[in-house]
């Protein structure tokens, strides 16, 4: 078995927490639908491993002694198949007998495969992710397909091709690029080959940066795709780089940098959109400079855009929750636009909700597939109806439609802010599936 960590994997091996005095212990490494964890055993409650889980929970150490060390944020697992570095760890869940043995679980947000040293991978020099829908949006492929027909015959071939990396430039102390590639993956029985057409987002920094600082840039690209066609997209970390972890041969000579495979705890990849849905914002219109502009907008208007984008992930919730979640984003957008116009913080803060909506509509104009002033009036009334118990509560289907229209307002604003021609935005919104309202079923 190779050094893998697929869902359903359970491996038993050695545990290294990088503390000098903790005893040797065998642990179980597991990856399930719930995440990645190691199960740690102990024989008595004074074990340092027990203290990671029981301290502060009414199960304090019995004898006087040095203060127990906290659970480590980074640990190493090692068995006959290889090594796995677990990062951003925390203890959660244990079972033990009074004055006796027990077990606890140490969970990890990510596993770095093949690492054997105490390296700070939670602060990498580079990160690669796969974002669903991005390759198709860019309109690039690493394969060339040809077909030919003869008399009663048909043949087809796929030929790999080299596609240049798209260099976006410097973003928040990192160099951002889009890197196309291909891969031919044999299945276990080697009877079939899986052809992959890949595109990875790459950020690199001269100095190590926090994991989330890298990831925020990747997620910003995903957010643009979400707003563009209003379909849930995923952003999954697949490789990480540390400059102090080069490729080394058995003679300890260094042979260049090494990208390590990453397994994240929750690898929720977006489902494939089976039917065509046109993008509101198209790459041909943006090019590299447009993507750089989007990243600046994403930073400047994060308080406005975050609630709108994240509302697409609220599955199975109520209409009231959707509007209550998105409403603060609309409020923030109007407020930030007022500040950008030169208004003082005091006057922008005092502006009521309708004034903030009017400021958004000033940019959006009549590009919307519905009447903007009607949307503003009804959304203000519904939003206040949700917040104040002394006002009439709006009907659920009306609230759902106001949430839908509110999202379209923000999507339209983003497209126009990025420089998509007004007539193009209007035409695309008129054909966008989100223009269709929800209907109450009796």
């Amino acid at each position: 078995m190779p050094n893998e960590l697929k869902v359903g994997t359970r491996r038993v091996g050695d545990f290294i927490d990088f503390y000098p005095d903790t005893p040797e212990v065998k642990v179980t490494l597991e990856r399930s639908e719930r995440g990645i964890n190691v199960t740690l055993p102990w024989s008595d409650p004074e074990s340092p491993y027990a203290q990671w889980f029981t301290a502060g929970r009414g199960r304090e150490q019995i004898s006087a002694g040095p203060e127990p060390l906290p659970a480590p944020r980074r640990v190493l697992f090692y068995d006959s198949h290889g090594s796995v570095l677990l990062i951003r760890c925390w203890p959660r869940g244990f079972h033990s007998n009074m004055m006796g043995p027990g077990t606890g679980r140490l969970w990890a947000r990510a596993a770095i495969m093949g690492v054997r040293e105490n390296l700070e991978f939670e602060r990498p020099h580079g990160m690669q992710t796969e974002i669903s829908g991005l390759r198709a949006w860019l309109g690039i492929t690493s394969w060339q397909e040809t077909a030919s027909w003869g008399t009663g015959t048909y043949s087809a071939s796929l030929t790999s091709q080299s596609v240049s990396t798209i260099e976006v430039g410097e973003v928040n102390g990192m160099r951002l690029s889009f890197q196309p590639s291909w891969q031919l993956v044999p299945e276990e029985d080697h009877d079939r080959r899986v052809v992959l057409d890949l595109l990875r987002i790459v950020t690199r920094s001269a100095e190590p940066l926090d994991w989330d600082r890298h990831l925020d840039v990747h997620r910003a690209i995903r957010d643009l795709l979400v707003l563009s066609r209003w379909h849930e997209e995923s952003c999954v970390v697949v490789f990480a780089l540390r400059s102090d972890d080069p490729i080394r041969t058995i003679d300890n000579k260094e042979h260049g940098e090494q990208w390590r495979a990453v397994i994240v705890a929750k690898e929720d990849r977006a489902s494939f959109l089976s039917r065509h849905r046109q993008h509101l914002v198209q790459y041909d219109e943006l090019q590299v400079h447009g993507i750089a502009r989007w990243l600046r907008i994403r930073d400047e208007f994060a308080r406005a855009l975050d609630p709108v984008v994240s509302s697409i992930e609220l599955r199975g919730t109520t209409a009231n929750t959707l509007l209550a979640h998105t409403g603060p984003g609309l409020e923030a957008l109007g407020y930030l636009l007022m500040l950008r116009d030169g208004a003082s913080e005091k006057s922008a803060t005092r502006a009521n909700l309708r004034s903030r909506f009017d400021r958004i509509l000033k940019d959006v104009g009549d590009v919307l597939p519905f009447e903007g002033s009607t949307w503003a009036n009804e959304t203000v009334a519904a939003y206040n109806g949700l917040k104040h118990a002394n006002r009439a509560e709006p009907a659920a289907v009306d609230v759902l439609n106001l949430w839908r229209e509110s999202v379209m307002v923000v999507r339209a604003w983003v497209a126009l802010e990025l420089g998509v021609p007004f007539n193009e935005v209007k035409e695309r919104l008129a054909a966008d599936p989100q223009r269709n309202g929800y209907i109450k079923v009796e």
Side-chain angles (χ1 to χ4, degrees):
M1 175 179 136
N3 188 19
E4 294 179 341
L5 199 56
K6 297 179 180 179
V7 174
T9 299
R10 288 173 62 91
R11 293 163 56 175
V12 177
D14 295 322
F15 178 80
I16 302 171
D17 56 23
F18 305 114
Y19 289 149
D21 299 323
T22 47
E24 292 185 3
V25 64
K26 294 288 185 181
V27 301
T28 301
L29 171 65
E30 180 180 11
R31 183 185 177 198
S32 67
E33 297 291 348
R34 296 177 59 195
I36 302 167
N37 71 81
V38 289
T39 300
L40 283 151
W42 57 83
S43 57
D44 68 80
E46 293 194 71
S47 163
Y49 303 129
Q51 290 296 311
W52 294 352
F53 298 90
T54 61
R57 296 177 174 86
R59 306 286 295 276
E60 308 295 338
Q61 62 186 120
I62 299 168
S63 61
E67 187 73 17
L69 293 169
R73 296 277 290 166
R74 181 171 62 250
V75 300
L76 184 65
F77 172 89
Y78 187 77
D79 66 3
S80 60
H81 303 293
S83 57
V84 182
L85 184 72
L86 303 177
I87 64 171
R88 309 174 81 192
C89 301
W90 77 100
R92 188 186 69 198
F94 73 95
H95 182 273
S96 67
N97 294 328
M98 183 67 68
M99 306 297 294
T103 58
R105 285 186 173 181
L106 191 68
W107 296 82
R109 287 186 170 84
I112 318 296
M113 309 303 292
V115 179
R116 298 190 179 189
E117 300 176 64
N118 185 13
L119 298 176
E120 198 178 7
F121 263 92
E122 56 269 34
R123 288 176 54 82
H125 291 86
M127 179 179 287
Q128 295 186 32
T129 62
E130 292 178 354
I131 297 178
S132 61
L134 182 59
R135 185 191 60 78
W137 183 68
L138 294 172
I140 59 178
T141 178
S142 295
W143 294 94
Q144 183 179 25
E145 184 176 355
T146 58
S148 61
W149 289 264
T151 305
T153 63
Y154 170 77
S155 63
S157 65
L158 279 175
T159 305
S160 63
Q161 58 183 4
S162 178
V163 182
S164 298
T165 297
I166 300 174
E167 298 288 349
V168 178
E170 293 291 327
V171 179
N172 297 337
M174 290 164 273
R175 193 168 75 251
L176 172 65
S177 61
F178 300 160
Q179 184 176 296
S181 63
W182 60 271
Q183 193 173 357
L184 191 62
V185 182
E187 293 194 339
E188 291 184 3
D189 57 7
H190 292 273
D191 289 337
R192 297 197 304 172
R193 303 290 187 272
V194 179
V195 175
L196 300 180
D197 202 353
L198 301 173
L199 181 86
R200 295 197 172 113
I201 314 306
V202 184
T203 50
R204 304 178 65 120
S205 58
E207 298 296 326
L209 298 177
D210 186 77
W211 185 276
D212 285 333
R213 185 168 169 183
H214 277 277
L215 192 54
D216 283 346
V217 175
H218 297 249
R219 286 173 173 163
I221 302 298
R222 178 206 60 188
D223 291 350
L224 176 59
L225 296 183
V226 171
L227 290 170
S228 181
R229 64 173 179 171
W230 201 246
H231 176 259
E232 191 170 0
E233 307 289 0
S234 56
C235 175
V236 179
V237 182
V238 291
F239 290 102
L241 171 73
R242 284 280 306 187
S243 62
D244 52 1
D245 180 41
I247 297 173
R248 287 191 177 93
T249 49
I250 196 169
D251 57 4
N252 206 35
K253 290 183 178 180
E254 297 182 4
H255 298 272
E257 65 185 22
Q258 181 168 210
W259 286 93
R260 295 287 193 177
V262 174
I263 306 297
V264 293
K266 295 293 184 180
E267 193 179 87
D268 294 327
R269 293 184 179 266
S271 59
F272 175 70
L273 189 60
S274 58
R275 62 190 182 281
H276 174 72
R277 181 180 295 177
Q278 185 182 41
H279 277 278
L280 182 60
V281 179
Q282 298 183 5
Y283 177 69
D284 289 344
E285 297 163 333
L286 262 63
Q287 298 298 319
V288 170
H289 66 275
I291 292 174
R293 175 167 173 73
W294 158 251
L295 294 170
R296 293 192 295 271
I297 293 170
R298 186 67 181 80
D299 284 345
E300 182 181 357
F301 291 91
R303 289 286 297 273
L305 297 174
D306 281 342
V308 177
V309 174
S310 60
S311 71
I312 199 172
E313 301 172 359
L314 299 178
R315 308 181 190 92
T317 190
T318 65
N320 290 3
T321 299
L322 287 170
L323 188 60
H325 184 89
T326 306
L330 275 294
E331 284 192 83
L333 180 57
Y335 169 80
L336 293 170
L337 289 174
M338 289 177 176
L339 292 181
R340 191 168 74 171
D341 292 342
S344 66
E345 288 189 14
K346 184 176 182 180
S347 64
T349 300
R350 288 180 173 179
N352 60 28
L353 187 58
R354 178 56 200 263
S355 297
R356 297 185 185 191
F357 283 6
D358 286 342
R359 177 57 192 86
I360 300 170
L361 291 173
K362 180 181 175 182
D363 284 357
V364 174
D366 64 349
V367 75
L368 301 168
F370 49 83
E371 178 59 45
S373 61
T374 302
W375 161 78
N377 288 331
E378 293 180 353
T379 304
V380 168
Y383 195 48
N384 287 327
L386 297 181
K387 292 197 300 181
H388 303 289
N390 63 330
R391 301 195 184 190
E393 183 177 2
V397 68
D398 294 333
V399 174
L400 196 57
N401 279 312
L402 291 171
W403 165 75
R404 173 184 58 81
E405 292 178 350
S406 296
V407 171
M408 292 195 78
V409 168
V410 174
R411 293 176 62 209
W413 180 84
V414 167
L416 293 169
E417 189 76 7
L418 288 171
V420 181
F422 184 93
N423 290 337
E424 291 291 339
V425 176
K426 186 170 185 175
E427 181 179 329
R428 291 169 193 170
L429 285 176
D432 193 287
Q434 201 177 35
R435 77 191 187 284
N436 298 316
Y438 295 97
I439 301 173
K440 183 178 181 181
V441 177
E442 298 294 344

